[in-house]
């Protein structure tokens, strides 16, 4: 992405599990023209990817359909879905690229505020919770082949939310093992843990990668000429960079940072290769913010 001015496009799609929106006779509402503030947070480890969204000017009838509270632990998982599309060009479906999809965990309006903000908090967790049966391995099979088979079986059962298996250098061999049934993430984690592989859902992708390695093989160069804002800043275990929002950059990508400010490891070697281990994106269709903050870890552990 270059620094030329581009037209921003932000679209939110709200999907009801039950019921229909007033005046539409269907369960899907697409919002393009209302004022929207979006924050998407993608992190490594056990914390789920989340989105916080504020929409101004929603109809009371839509608010009442979508409002939801979480009153106590163990409450049934929400089933209404939010999809966030953001970018500069429209895809064949007439929408910009998909930036986020998750379940609406809480939602409600503040009518005391003159702007009537309708706030949605969403989690990716719960999208891939359809239960699948136990898996048994007799003899030997490559871990990569085993995991691909698990995802294929999941997709055969799932009416929606088809997943894409995205491995990075998965090469172990499995022999005579049995894995108890559960969600696809649970099942794959059982298979991967003994070999120090990590399983992470970055919808619609299921990423599998070695501990200490980059989650994906995707590589991107960032510099002041293609969207980097300011300079990289040192942080615990790495650096952070601000960039103009780029729909072609996502969590887990390998990043080469080109900057006049350099960083060296304990062997005094300049570090230029990183990977995104956290990504916080702020998008406003009528505000100034249209950027991501990337938290970068060292990709090649051997230089530090």
């Amino acid at each position: 992405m270059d620094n030329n001015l581009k037209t921003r496009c932000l679209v939110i799609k709200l999907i009801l599990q039950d019921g229909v929106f007033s005046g539409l006779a269907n369960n899907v509402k697409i919002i393009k023209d209302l004022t929207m503030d979006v924050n998407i947070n993608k992190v490594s480890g056990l914390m789920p990817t989340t989105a916080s969204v504020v929409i101004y000017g929603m109809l009371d009838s839509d608010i009442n359909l979508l409002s939801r509270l979480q009153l106590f632990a163990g409450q049934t998982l929400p089933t209404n879905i939010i999809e966030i599309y953001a970018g500069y060009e429209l895809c064949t479906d007439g929408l910009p690229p998909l930036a986020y999809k998750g379940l609406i965990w809480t939602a409600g309006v503040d009518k005391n505020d003159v702007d009537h903000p309708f706030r949605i908090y969403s989690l990716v967790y719960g999208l891939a919770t359809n239960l699948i049966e136990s898996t048994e391995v007799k003899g030997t099979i490559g871990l990569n082949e085993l995991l691909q088979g698990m995802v294929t079986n999941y997709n055969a059962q799932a009416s929606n939310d088809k997943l894409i298996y995205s491995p990075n250098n998965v090469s172990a061999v499995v022999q005579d093992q049995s894995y108890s049934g559960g969600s696809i993430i649970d099942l794959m984690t059982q298979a991967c843990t003994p070999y120090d592989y990590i399983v992470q859902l970055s919808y619609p992708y299921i990423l599998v990668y070695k501990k200490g390695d980059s989650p994906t093989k995707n590589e991107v160069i960032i510099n002041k000429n293609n969207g980097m804002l300011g300079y990289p800043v040192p942080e615990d275990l790495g650096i952070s960079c601000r960039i103009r929002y780029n729909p072609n950059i996502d969590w887990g990508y390998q990043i080469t940072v080109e900057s006049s400010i350099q960083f060296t490891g304990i062997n005094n070697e300049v570090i230029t290769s990183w990977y995104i281990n956290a990504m916080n994106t702020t998008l406003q269709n009528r505000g100034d913010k249209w950027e991501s903050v990337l938290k970068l870890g060292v990709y090649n552990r051997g230089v530090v």
Side-chain angles (χ1 to χ4, degrees):
M1 185 182 71
D2 58 37
N3 280 336
N4 294 326
L5 293 176
K6 296 176 181 292
T7 301
R8 305 173 181 178
C9 187
L10 179 63
V11 177
I12 290 178
K13 183 186 292 187
L14 302 169
I15 304 172
L16 297 172
Q17 178 68 19
D18 299 306
V20 296
F21 287 102
S22 176
L24 295 179
N26 63 53
N27 68 331
V28 177
K29 179 104 176 182
I30 295 177
I31 299 175
K32 297 181 179 179
D33 298 326
L34 299 180
T35 299
M36 297 173 280
D37 297 336
V38 170
N39 181 265
I40 302 169
N41 194 41
K42 299 183 178 183
V43 296
S44 303
L46 298 177
M47 296 300 293
T49 293
T50 63
S52 298
V53 176
V54 184
I55 306 172
Y56 300 90
M58 291 274 289
L59 298 174
D60 285 355
S61 57
D62 292 341
I63 288 171
N64 291 333
L65 282 172
L66 291 161
S67 292
R68 182 178 181 89
L69 300 176
Q70 291 291 337
L71 300 177
F72 55 87
Q75 184 171 335
T76 303
L77 280 173
T79 53
N80 293 334
I81 291 174
I82 181 171
E83 296 177 357
I84 301 169
Y85 298 82
Y88 308 93
E89 298 178 355
L90 302 183
C91 302
T92 55
D93 59 1
L95 299 173
L98 178 68
Y100 174 89
K101 178 176 181 177
L103 299 175
I104 297 176
W105 189 253
T106 60
V109 68
D110 181 1
K111 281 287 189 176
N112 298 303
D113 188 316
V114 66
D115 294 319
H116 300 169
F118 182 67
R119 305 181 189 278
I120 297 173
Y121 180 69
S122 171
L123 302 174
V124 165
Y125 174 78
L127 279 181
T129 54
N130 293 343
L131 300 182
I132 55 179
E133 297 179 352
S134 301
T135 297
E136 186 174 359
V137 174
K138 294 182 179 179
T140 60
I141 186 174
L143 178 61
N144 190 56
E145 182 181 353
L146 174 64
L147 298 174
Q148 179 65 74
M150 290 178 176
V151 174
T152 299
N153 291 339
Y154 173 87
N155 286 337
Q157 300 176 32
S159 56
N160 296 307
D161 301 323
K162 304 291 187 181
L163 300 174
I164 301 171
Y165 174 51
S166 180
N168 187 13
N169 297 325
V170 177
S171 59
V173 175
V174 179
Q175 182 173 3
D176 298 327
Q177 295 291 330
S178 180
Y179 308 106
S180 57
S183 73
I184 182 64
I185 303 299
D186 293 337
L187 204 64
M188 294 176 70
T189 299
Q190 290 178 57
C192 289
T193 298
Y195 307 99
D196 287 332
Y197 285 98
I198 296 173
V199 179
Q200 182 114 2
L201 176 63
S202 183
Y203 187 85
Y205 299 96
I206 291 189
L207 308 175
V208 179
Y209 57 99
K210 198 78 169 179
K211 288 182 179 178
D213 200 355
S214 169
T216 79
K217 298 177 182 177
N218 296 311
E219 299 182 17
V220 178
I221 296 173
I222 59 174
N223 55 47
K224 66 179 182 180
N225 295 318
N226 67 1
M228 186 165 68
L229 303 172
Y231 296 89
V233 177
E235 296 201 356
D236 289 343
L237 304 179
I239 63 174
S240 66
C241 293
R242 288 174 58 236
I243 64 170
R244 290 189 179 89
Y245 176 67
N246 186 338
N248 298 313
I249 295 179
D250 204 353
W251 180 90
Y253 278 29
Q254 297 174 26
I255 298 288
T256 297
V257 178
E258 296 179 343
S259 171
S260 61
I261 301 301
Q262 297 181 337
F263 300 91
T264 59
I266 59 175
N267 293 327
N268 292 321
E269 296 184 47
V270 176
I271 304 169
T272 58
S273 296
W274 311 84
Y275 71 93
I276 303 174
N277 59 24
M279 180 175 181
N280 187 274
T281 297
T282 302
L283 305 169
Q284 298 175 321
N285 65 335
R286 292 193 174 97
D288 294 333
K289 292 290 188 179
W290 191 262
E291 65 184 46
S292 298
V293 176
L294 311 180
K295 299 296 181 71
L296 306 180
V298 178
Y299 170 56
N300 183 359
R301 299 287 181 175
V303 300
V304 294

